[in-house]
Amino acid sequence: MKSIFTTLKKAAPAAAFTLAMAGGAALQSCSSGPGEGSATAAGVASDAAQAVYVAPGKHDEYYSFLSGGFNGQMSVYGLPSGRLLKIMPVFTQHAENGYGYSEESKAMLMTSHGFVPWDDLHHPKLSRTNGMTDGRWLFANGNNTPRVARVDLSTFETVEIMEIPNSAGNHCSPYPTDNNEYVIAGTRFSVPLDMKGGTADVSMDEYKDKFRGSISFIKVDPEKGDMDLDFQILVPGFDYDLANGGKGPSSDWVFFTTYNTERSGTLKELGASQNDRDYLAAVNWKLAAKYAAEGKAKEMPAYYYHNKMDKDSHIAKSTIKKSVRYLLPEDCPGMMYLIPAPKSPHGIDVDPSGEHMVVSGKLAATIPVFSFSKMQDAIKNKEFDGEINGIPVFKYESVLKAEVKEPGLGPLHTEFDGKGNAYTSMFVSSEIVKWKLSDFTVVDRMPVYYSVGHLMIPGGDTHTPDGKYLVAMNKITKDRYLPTGPELSHSAQLIDISGEKMRMLLDFPTVAEPHYAQAIKAEKVAPNSVKFYDLAKNKHPHAVKKEADASVTREGNVVRVKMTAIRSHMTPDNIEGVQVGDTVLFHVTNLEQDWDVPHGFAVMGANNAETLIMPGATQTLKWVPKKEGVYPFYCTDFCSALHQEMQGYIRVSPKGSKTPIAFSTGKKKQNIPGTASAK
Amino acid sequence: MKSIFTTLKKAAPAAAFTLAMAGGAALQSCSSGPGEGSATAAGVASDAAQAVYVAPGKHDEYYSFLSGGFNGQMSVYGLPSGRLLKIMPVFTQHAENGYGYSEESKAMLMTSHGFVPWDDLHHPKLSRTNGMTDGRWLFANGNNTPRVARVDLSTFETVEIMEIPNSAGNHCSPYPTDNNEYVIAGTRFSVPLDMKGGTADVSMDEYKDKFRGSISFIKVDPEKGDMDLDFQILVPGFDYDLANGGKGPSSDWVFFTTYNTERSGTLKELGASQNDRDYLAAVNWKLAAKYAAEGKAKEMPAYYYHNKMDKDSHIAKSTIKKSVRYLLPEDCPGMMYLIPAPKSPHGIDVDPSGEHMVVSGKLAATIPVFSFSKMQDAIKNKEFDGEINGIPVFKYESVLKAEVKEPGLGPLHTEFDGKGNAYTSMFVSSEIVKWKLSDFTVVDRMPVYYSVGHLMIPGGDTHTPDGKYLVAMNKITKDRYLPTGPELSHSAQLIDISGEKMRMLLDFPTVAEPHYAQAIKAEKVAPNSVKFYDLAKNKHPHAVKKEADASVTREGNVVRVKMTAIRSHMTPDNIEGVQVGDTVLFHVTNLEQDWDVPHGFAVMGANNAETLIMPGATQTLKWVPKKEGVYPFYCTDFCSALHQEMQGYIRVSPKGSKTPIAFSTGKKKQNIPGTASAK
């Protein structure tokens, strides 16, 4: 194990750095008050109104998927209207539809740490076909308890979550290759690996010697989308920040920014800001896969969860994985290189041609643009300046193409319009800066309010962006909307980038904190959208497909209610014979076979949420009654003129009561003497 | 107890009724496809775009508060933009800010049934001064496990939740009187009361004899807003649907619609639709309060929770209430009357003059308008047709003013514009119908998409409505937006009602299911909005107000971390000496004293959400580590250029380890030998 913790050979000298600029200017940018960007004239504002207005009954042009950050979900916004079309739960419990509360969905949130009902979702990434977004799936990372999720865009449901071992903070994740051969996920924090997939009980004093990072390669089934962790690369003990896949000539590669190459275990604000340069890590994923396939991968024991929603039963099931394969860079020549990059770089973005790797150093005064072709030459010519863990470090100049001069303060991320222009977000100076890839000169600036983090152009991370709109995702909101107390929504801004000059169109608030977004033309997703589930194909073991099959049975202390819901009644709607302390499982099947007729189910006093059942599906609500009495249950989603009448009662008797299990709807009452008495 | 279950004397004969119309027409209305209401011409659409556009940096004119229905929260939308400004958790756990997960907020969701992390929030109601909304508080009902909540509109936080005994489904709730003397809350479902505040273990066969409803009167402190359940009225075993307070001459009264006066315990779809007429219940709340004060109220034992957020510590505390006072209508002459109303009435809305009580019978062909002055005369002249539980039943004609003819199909709710017009939502025929209060004739119709439920005009339920906009809250969405799989957002529509004809402006999707809304001019709320909390006034017992006071101490198996957060570090950021199975309490104080600088806190693998800490506040995250190792923690809300560096590590050793408690930031490391070894 010792061999993987080799000493860091510094490729760039340490230098003192003052933080005053970064913190001070960020605040200053907020004191400039509200503004309209370049849209100051009334005529321009009028045009903007038309540009974002989607008349009642008309549809938006794009789906955009904004991550929810610390709310652990993703949101679907229509563009250009900025309207929130849907909140999709991924890593968090969601009362609206019972995700994480219903018996069917709980397993989705299982991890090696137990049930973890939250994560910090940063980066939505659409699946790809030949390097273009295809609208089939949406991948997303859990940044806290390392996980990667997959949403099926035919149903807009989270259908799979894969936990990542040997990782702590899964930030530079998930980055799909051109045909989703891999979804690639890098650790944010390095930790002392116990070589059993977890972390070791080690003192923080041993950071420099014992802490290590990992990059994970998750295979994706090309037809079904199912994920499987294929192998990992164990990498030096830096912090890994963001990643981006190559394109065209560089499409076998994936790039990662790093910080804390100082490997400070404390006060990173200062400790991780000592070096003038950290690194951009370049990994040849195709070669890595080849090494792994050809026996260079070792195996270690591990323990991590893989959770999948079964398509037929709509029940999530967990599989526990017991080992993981890993590669060491020192064993795999040509697989990984380090490029010195200005201090504490954040975003790495590869332009549509695949030639330019743009690195945004959040504390840097210029934006370096590295050249993929120069990198290939530098590999051939061995233009290295030392190595770290057997990973060659390039000479800065040998791979540098140009530096964008005076771009603004605090560059974070860059996207592209496919027309030869790059757009970089400037956190500290609160602006979007447009610059030309041909000569690296700045050609336009648009103030944004305030302190922009990520930005997104539909397809802006592919080889053929759709350069019509840009969405700026701002970190500070302050006075942009009517105040809502100390806690404010974050804010996005929609900018028209179709012309030479950027044009501010719209401010719209977002759910929690979007850390990135993806957008795609509506026609790539909408035609495949499922309207309801086929009841005939419902394979839930406790589904009942007609009212006559509804039942209530006792199995020891478990009372199983197989219920149907259809406008405007539930069957059964009178249940007796339940006792205090029983586990009551309401399996509710929605018999409707039409679009947009969900039924909800709730019972008074349950220590649980409700569950929302789509047409043709079955969902289960668990309830352990604590007190005797009569408890109403009812449909929670207004479904018809007689929705208020769609309800029933369940009677709870004291423990040991002789009241037999019985149920009815209308006049038909069934007593089931055989199962009458509780165990 | 027997005396309160007197026999129902029917005031109107039962009649057969076919349900075909209601269900069939609701579906039919959805097949008409997308449309723009009356805004068909391009010029009109262009005007609509201008009418709803709020330019970047400008503010909306109104706050609107839409209930989240089965998502248990309320949402704040700006009008006319339709932008979602904030989601406010009330009865549900909320990962975004840790509500219901943090130690400070858990008690808010405690009930007599234990921790109930969900409810079905239907009706937001703004507090009032002299009958006008004053922007101080927002009340809301929990429809499932009966509760009433109060949101403080200076902070937009839920600060109080009062459980309601003797209730099952708290639907016609919460209705404040002119000066919030009472917030009034009626049960939806009748249940067999056990006369101890709960329900009794009684067979459903005994519905007619044993089931009973209740109306609760919650006192509100005029200065602080604190709620207290003063007394209840035990009422006949109907279902109670909606309520509305009187105005002007009728302001001492509150009115309730009822259904299932047939008192069917099963298949209510049919069983509760037998009678041609159910009732509008009229209650003189001022007289009820007088009776209660003068000793007519009896007391019964009860057990229910009253949860309040302490203003100084920001810690929610529960008080268990042990009794409740109740009145019986038969003991209190003049307190309560029943008005026959067309079958299964839903909405009851009193016009701004206080003279007209408009009842929307969802299965009725006309809208009856009752007269308050006629009702006063009928009381004097004893124009009764029998009684129920000692409650006189009026003759229909004696209180009827007029019937609105041919209003449309499936009338549900009515609001008013203060200019002599009423607007009624038609669920089945999917339209808003405008009619005149002077002669009860229909003057305009606006199709809405689809199946409208509630509608809202700012101040439309007060004596002086602000008749500029109307929001239609529609129950069925189908093709109104880009499709998002089987589960679709509900949809609202904004209509301009300033002119003679209604003008459709905008469709906007909503969070879960809004069952009602309130709106208020921004200037009544915004000036009082708190920007951050005063650190000096923070009375949290585990707050630390400067970094030097940060500490880690062991108390048996509890490790208490008193941590500070300020851009861009946490103190301490290295913690050792924690053992597997310890309960670690991270008390994090945000030292910032500026607007919009929250910090978030999360630790990897916690079986919990993160917590979001506003400037000056303290929040606590509980974590019980299951495995040894080193766990990163970090700030989850991007706060500065060095946000990514704002993190630390906590080391977990095996149970019984001799590693002492130690913590540090930077070079300073404190070992605390006195608390070194675990118990």
Side-chain angles (χ1 to χ4, degrees):
Chain A
M1 186 172 132
K2 185 72 188 167
S3 74
I4 63 167
F5 300 116
T6 56
T7 307
L8 176 74
K9 292 184 197 163
K10 284 191 178 163
F17 179 77
T18 168
L19 295 173
M21 178 199 75
L27 282 179
Q28 197 182 6
S29 75
C30 303
S31 61
S32 58
E36 284 100 85
S38 63
T40 45
V44 176
S46 164
D47 286 354
Q50 298 302 330
V52 302
Y53 184 67
V54 177
K58 303 296 182 193
H59 287 177
D60 278 289
E61 185 180 353
Y62 292 92
Y63 287 95
S64 70
F65 303 98
L66 276 66
S67 73
F70 51 80
N71 196 37
Q73 102 304 341
M74 288 192 283
S75 299
V76 187
Y77 287 85
L79 295 182
S81 74
R83 294 179 299 183
L84 174 59
L85 303 181
K86 191 192 188 96
I87 295 173
M88 300 187 295
V90 181
F91 297 116
T92 43
Q93 293 178 293
H94 193 58
E96 183 169 347
N97 60 7
Y99 181 84
Y101 294 101
S102 70
E103 295 310 294
E104 284 74 11
S105 61
K106 278 179 184 165
M108 289 302 281
L109 302 179
M110 283 302 298
T111 75
S112 62
H113 303 274
F115 183 74
V116 177
W118 176 84
D119 215 308
D120 186 17
L121 192 158
H122 277 226
H123 308 124
K125 279 276 181 178
L126 288 160
S127 59
R128 286 156 192 247
T129 300
N130 299 326
M132 290 304 294
T133 55
D134 59 19
R136 293 196 292 165
W137 311 306
L138 184 60
F139 300 99
N141 65 324
N143 183 38
N144 185 57
T145 304
R147 290 177 272 187
V148 170
R150 181 170 61 92
V151 167
D152 186 325
L153 288 181
S154 70
T155 59
F156 286 67
E157 280 185 327
T158 303
V159 293
E160 193 174 8
I161 293 182
M162 167 69 81
E163 193 180 2
I164 315 275
N166 292 318
S167 180
N170 169 47
H171 191 262
C172 34
S173 164
Y175 292 86
T177 57
D178 271 2
N179 289 290
N180 319 312
E181 292 91 345
Y182 287 105
V183 165
I184 297 169
T187 197
R188 172 168 159 203
F189 307 114
S190 282
V191 279
L193 303 183
D194 65 1
M195 300 308 280
K196 293 177 200 161
T199 66
D201 173 26
V202 155
S203 167
M204 249 66 69
D205 297 339
E206 302 186 82
Y207 189 102
K208 292 202 181 185
D209 294 329
K210 299 264 176 85
F211 283 49
R212 188 118 193 190
S214 68
I215 297 170
S216 300
F217 293 76
I218 300 167
K219 265 189 161 160
V220 178
D221 182 281
E223 294 306 317
K224 295 182 183 169
D226 293 350
M227 301 188 287
D228 193 24
L229 177 55
D230 193 21
F231 65 93
Q232 300 186 304
I233 303 177
L234 301 188
V235 289
F238 309 153
D239 284 18
Y240 293 79
D241 205 359
L242 283 157
N244 202 246
K247 292 163 190 80
S250 58
S251 59
D252 293 354
W253 293 75
V254 61
F255 303 91
F256 300 84
T257 50
T258 70
Y259 64 108
N260 194 28
T261 58
E262 299 87 346
R263 299 190 300 171
S264 167
T266 182
L267 200 58
K268 292 198 178 179
E269 177 184 23
L270 293 168
S273 305
Q274 300 299 310
N275 291 353
D276 254 358
R277 287 180 183 153
D278 293 287
Y279 300 107
L280 178 68
V283 175
N284 185 326
W285 64 264
K286 213 165 246 180
L287 187 57
K290 188 161 175 282
Y291 277 128
E294 288 175 356
K296 286 276 189 190
K298 296 169 192 168
E299 192 155 327
M300 72 169 89
Y303 185 86
Y304 55 105
Y305 274 67
H306 182 198
N307 308 322
K308 266 174 65 179
M309 186 66 74
D310 181 74
K311 218 176 161 63
D312 300 316
S313 67
H314 264 89
I315 300 175
K317 292 199 175 85
S318 297
T319 308
I320 295 168
K321 311 270 286 184
K322 295 285 180 64
S323 71
V324 65
R325 301 193 303 158
Y326 67 98
L327 296 171
L328 297 176
E330 50 266 49
D331 298 343
C332 302
M335 181 178 73
M336 185 169 177
Y337 298 90
L338 296 174
I339 301 171
K343 60 192 312 163
S344 300
H346 191 57
I348 157 67
D349 299 284
V350 179
D351 83 326
S353 76
E355 163 64 7
H356 300 112
M357 293 99 80
V358 180
V359 172
S360 302
K362 62 198 179 206
L363 305 179
T366 63
I367 299 172
V369 180
F370 297 104
S371 158
F372 182 72
S373 53
K374 283 187 79 171
M375 185 181 106
Q376 296 302 93
D377 291 343
I379 291 171
K380 268 184 225 142
N381 303 330
K382 295 196 164 53
E383 294 179 67
F384 302 134
D385 188 7
E387 60 170 50
I388 295 169
N389 288 78
I391 308 166
V393 179
F394 290 114
K395 287 179 178 153
Y396 182 66
E397 292 73 18
S398 70
V399 286
L400 185 75
K401 174 104 171 222
E403 286 179 340
V404 182
K405 305 290 187 198
E406 298 183 5
L409 297 177
L412 290 187
H413 304 280
T414 300
E415 293 239 320
F416 308 92
D417 65 5
K419 296 176 282 189
N421 301 301
Y423 300 75
T424 301
S425 57
M426 299 290 167
F427 176 81
V428 177
S429 55
S430 286
E431 58 188 335
I432 303 292
V433 173
K434 176 179 177 180
W435 50 276
K436 288 163 74 177
L437 282 159
S438 55
D439 63 5
F440 310 101
T441 56
V442 172
V443 293
D444 193 22
R445 293 173 182 280
M446 171 61 75
V448 288
Y449 300 92
Y450 302 99
S451 301
V452 60
H454 273 276
L455 78 178
M456 180 274 289
I457 292 169
D461 63 343
T462 69
H463 60 65
T464 309
D466 196 355
K468 185 169 179 182
Y469 296 116
L470 182 152
V471 176
M473 286 159 266
N474 306 317
K475 297 299 186 187
I476 295 177
T477 301
K478 297 207 182 224
D479 57 3
R480 298 304 288 178
Y481 306 103
L482 290 175
T484 56
E487 191 184 335
L488 304 173
S489 288
H490 283 235
S491 181
Q493 292 186 292
L494 182 71
I495 298 169
D496 176 358
I497 57 164
S498 61
E500 203 176 317
K501 291 283 174 191
M502 290 181 271
R503 186 166 68 116
M504 180 60 71
L505 296 178
L506 181 70
D507 279 26
F508 62 98
T510 56
V511 177
E513 184 183 2
H515 288 272
Y516 188 46
Q518 295 263 276
I520 188 167
K521 278 267 194 187
E523 68 235 32
K524 283 194 179 179
V525 174
N528 304 319
S529 194
V530 170
K531 290 191 168 56
F532 57 86
Y533 298 108
D534 185 344
L535 182 65
K537 291 184 181 160
N538 178 337
K539 297 269 190 275
H540 192 294
H542 303 298
V544 283
K545 302 192 181 180
K546 52 183 197 291
E547 288 178 12
D549 293 341
S551 66
V552 181
T553 51
R554 176 178 285 285
E555 301 160 16
N557 290 322
V558 173
V559 175
R560 200 176 287 284
V561 180
K562 298 187 184 181
M563 183 181 282
T564 61
I566 191 164
R567 283 163 292 181
S568 300
H569 58 275
M570 288 175 282
T571 305
D573 75 351
N574 277 189
I575 300 166
E576 303 193 24
V578 171
Q579 299 183 6
V580 171
D582 280 343
T583 295
V584 185
L585 296 170
F586 296 96
H587 305 291
V588 186
T589 301
N590 181 344
L591 298 182
E592 311 277 355
Q593 289 288 269
D594 192 7
W595 194 19
D596 200 16
V597 199
H599 291 291
F601 179 84
V603 59
M604 180 180 137
N607 306 114
N608 209 333
E610 53 116 49
T611 180
L612 194 64
I613 312 119
M614 294 301 118
T618 304
Q619 288 281 296
T620 302
L621 188 82
K622 181 173 146 184
W623 177 50
V624 181
K626 291 191 170 62
K627 294 191 294 190
E628 65 188 73
V630 171
Y631 294 78
F633 52 82
Y634 64 102
C635 173
T636 54
D637 190 347
F638 206 104
C639 55
S640 71
L642 291 171
H643 159 77
Q644 286 290 78
E645 284 77 1
M646 190 167 174
Q647 61 112 160
Y649 302 89
I650 183 164
R651 174 185 174 189
V652 178
S653 300
K655 206 165 181 64
S657 153
K658 297 290 173 211
T659 305
I661 287 283
F663 62 96
S664 70
T665 296
K667 298 214 180 302
K668 180 186 58 160
K669 179 160 175 172
Q670 299 190 26
N671 285 300
I672 305 168
T675 57
S677 61
K679 211 165 126 182
Chain B
M1 187 172 132
K2 184 73 188 168
S3 73
I4 64 169
F5 299 116
T6 57
T7 306
L8 176 75
K9 291 184 196 162
K10 284 189 181 167
F17 180 77
T18 170
L19 296 172
M21 176 198 77
L27 280 177
Q28 196 182 7
S29 75
C30 304
S31 61
S32 58
E36 284 101 85
S38 65
T40 44
V44 176
S46 164
D47 287 353
Q50 298 303 331
V52 302
Y53 184 66
V54 177
K58 303 296 183 194
H59 288 177
D60 278 291
E61 186 180 352
Y62 292 91
Y63 286 95
S64 69
F65 303 97
L66 275 67
S67 73
F70 51 79
N71 196 36
Q73 102 303 341
M74 287 191 282
S75 299
V76 187
Y77 287 84
L79 294 182
S81 74
R83 295 179 299 183
L84 173 59
L85 303 181
K86 191 193 189 96
I87 295 173
M88 300 188 295
V90 180
F91 297 116
T92 44
Q93 292 178 292
H94 192 57
E96 182 168 349
N97 61 7
Y99 181 85
Y101 294 102
S102 70
E103 295 309 296
E104 284 75 9
S105 60
K106 278 178 185 166
M108 288 304 280
L109 302 179
M110 284 302 298
T111 75
S112 62
H113 303 273
F115 183 75
V116 178
W118 175 84
D119 215 307
D120 187 16
L121 192 158
H122 277 228
H123 308 123
K125 278 279 181 175
L126 288 159
S127 59
R128 288 158 191 243
T129 301
N130 299 326
M132 290 304 294
T133 56
D134 58 19
R136 294 195 292 165
W137 311 304
L138 184 60
F139 300 98
N141 65 325
N143 183 37
N144 186 58
T145 303
R147 290 177 272 187
V148 170
R150 181 170 60 92
V151 167
D152 185 326
L153 288 180
S154 69
T155 59
F156 285 67
E157 280 184 328
T158 304
V159 293
E160 192 174 7
I161 293 182
M162 167 70 79
E163 193 180 0
I164 314 274
N166 290 320
S167 181
N170 170 47
H171 191 263
C172 35
S173 164
Y175 292 86
T177 56
D178 272 2
N179 290 288
N180 319 311
E181 292 92 343
Y182 287 104
V183 165
I184 297 168
T187 198
R188 173 168 159 204
F189 306 114
S190 282
V191 280
L193 303 183
D194 65 0
M195 298 310 279
K196 294 176 198 163
T199 66
D201 173 26
V202 155
S203 167
M204 249 66 68
D205 298 338
E206 302 186 79
Y207 189 101
K208 291 200 183 188
D209 294 327
K210 299 265 177 85
F211 284 47
R212 187 118 192 189
S214 68
I215 297 170
S216 300
F217 293 77
I218 300 167
K219 265 190 162 159
V220 178
D221 182 281
E223 294 306 315
K224 297 181 181 167
D226 293 349
M227 301 188 288
D228 193 24
L229 176 55
D230 193 23
F231 65 92
Q232 300 186 306
I233 303 176
L234 302 188
V235 290
F238 309 152
D239 285 16
Y240 293 80
D241 204 359
L242 282 158
N244 201 247
K247 294 166 189 80
S250 57
S251 59
D252 293 353
W253 292 75
V254 62
F255 303 92
F256 300 83
T257 50
T258 68
Y259 63 108
N260 193 29
T261 56
E262 299 86 348
R263 298 188 301 170
S264 166
T266 183
L267 201 56
K268 291 198 179 179
E269 178 184 23
L270 293 168
S273 306
Q274 300 300 310
N275 291 351
D276 254 358
R277 288 182 183 153
D278 293 288
Y279 301 106
L280 177 69
V283 175
N284 185 327
W285 65 262
K286 213 167 245 180
L287 186 57
K290 188 161 174 279
Y291 277 127
E294 289 175 356
K296 287 274 191 189
K298 296 170 192 166
E299 191 156 327
M300 72 169 88
Y303 185 86
Y304 55 105
Y305 275 66
H306 181 199
N307 309 321
K308 267 175 65 180
M309 186 66 75
D310 180 74
K311 216 175 164 65
D312 300 315
S313 66
H314 263 88
I315 299 175
K317 291 199 176 84
S318 297
T319 307
I320 296 169
K321 311 269 285 183
K322 297 283 180 63
S323 70
V324 64
R325 301 194 302 157
Y326 66 98
L327 295 171
L328 297 176
E330 51 266 49
D331 298 342
C332 302
M335 180 178 75
M336 187 168 175
Y337 298 90
L338 296 173
I339 302 172
K343 60 193 311 164
S344 300
H346 192 56
I348 157 64
D349 299 283
V350 180
D351 85 325
S353 76
E355 162 65 7
H356 299 114
M357 294 99 79
V358 180
V359 171
S360 301
K362 62 200 179 204
L363 305 179
T366 61
I367 300 172
V369 180
F370 297 102
S371 158
F372 182 72
S373 52
K374 283 187 80 172
M375 184 181 106
Q376 296 302 92
D377 291 344
I379 291 171
K380 266 185 230 142
N381 304 330
K382 296 197 164 55
E383 295 180 65
F384 305 134
D385 188 8
E387 61 170 47
I388 296 169
N389 286 78
I391 308 167
V393 179
F394 290 114
K395 288 179 177 150
Y396 182 67
E397 292 72 18
S398 71
V399 285
L400 183 75
K401 173 103 172 222
E403 285 179 343
V404 181
K405 305 289 185 198
E406 296 183 8
L409 297 177
L412 291 186
H413 303 279
T414 301
E415 293 238 319
F416 307 92
D417 65 5
K419 296 176 282 189
N421 301 301
Y423 300 76
T424 301
S425 57
M426 299 290 167
F427 176 81
V428 176
S429 55
S430 286
E431 59 188 332
I432 303 292
V433 172
K434 176 179 176 179
W435 51 276
K436 286 163 76 178
L437 282 160
S438 54
D439 61 7
F440 311 99
T441 58
V442 172
V443 293
D444 194 22
R445 294 173 181 279
M446 169 62 72
V448 288
Y449 300 92
Y450 302 97
S451 301
V452 60
H454 273 276
L455 78 175
M456 180 273 293
I457 292 169
D461 64 343
T462 69
H463 60 64
T464 310
D466 195 357
K468 185 170 180 180
Y469 297 116
L470 182 152
V471 176
M473 287 160 265
N474 306 317
K475 297 299 186 189
I476 295 177
T477 301
K478 298 208 183 223
D479 58 3
R480 298 303 289 176
Y481 306 103
L482 290 176
T484 56
E487 191 185 335
L488 304 173
S489 288
H490 283 234
S491 182
Q493 291 187 293
L494 182 71
I495 298 168
D496 176 357
I497 57 164
S498 61
E500 203 175 318
K501 291 282 171 190
M502 290 182 271
R503 187 165 68 115
M504 180 59 72
L505 297 178
L506 181 71
D507 279 28
F508 63 98
T510 56
V511 177
E513 184 183 2
H515 288 273
Y516 188 46
Q518 294 263 276
I520 188 168
K521 278 268 194 188
E523 69 236 31
K524 282 195 180 178
V525 173
N528 305 318
S529 194
V530 170
K531 291 190 167 57
F532 57 86
Y533 297 108
D534 185 344
L535 182 64
K537 291 184 181 161
N538 179 337
K539 297 267 191 275
H540 193 293
H542 303 298
V544 284
K545 302 193 181 179
K546 52 184 198 291
E547 289 178 11
D549 294 340
S551 66
V552 182
T553 51
R554 176 178 286 285
E555 301 161 15
N557 290 322
V558 174
V559 175
R560 200 177 286 284
V561 180
K562 298 186 184 181
M563 182 181 282
T564 62
I566 191 164
R567 280 162 294 179
S568 299
H569 58 275
M570 286 174 283
T571 305
D573 76 351
N574 278 188
I575 300 165
E576 303 193 25
V578 171
Q579 300 183 8
V580 170
D582 281 343
T583 294
V584 185
L585 295 170
F586 296 96
H587 306 290
V588 186
T589 302
N590 182 344
L591 298 183
E592 310 278 355
Q593 288 289 269
D594 193 8
W595 194 18
D596 200 16
V597 198
H599 291 292
F601 180 84
V603 59
M604 180 180 137
N607 306 112
N608 209 333
E610 53 115 50
T611 180
L612 194 64
I613 312 121
M614 294 301 119
T618 304
Q619 287 282 296
T620 302
L621 189 82
K622 181 173 146 185
W623 178 50
V624 181
K626 290 191 170 62
K627 295 192 294 191
E628 65 187 73
V630 171
Y631 294 78
F633 54 82
Y634 65 101
C635 174
T636 54
D637 190 348
F638 206 104
C639 54
S640 69
L642 291 170
H643 159 77
Q644 286 289 78
E645 284 77 2
M646 190 165 174
Q647 60 113 159
Y649 301 90
I650 183 164
R651 175 185 176 190
V652 177
S653 299
K655 207 164 180 66
S657 153
K658 296 292 173 209
T659 306
I661 287 284
F663 63 97
S664 71
T665 296
K667 296 210 181 307
K668 182 187 58 161
K669 180 159 176 173
Q670 300 189 27
N671 285 302
I672 304 166
T675 57
S677 59
K679 212 165 127 181

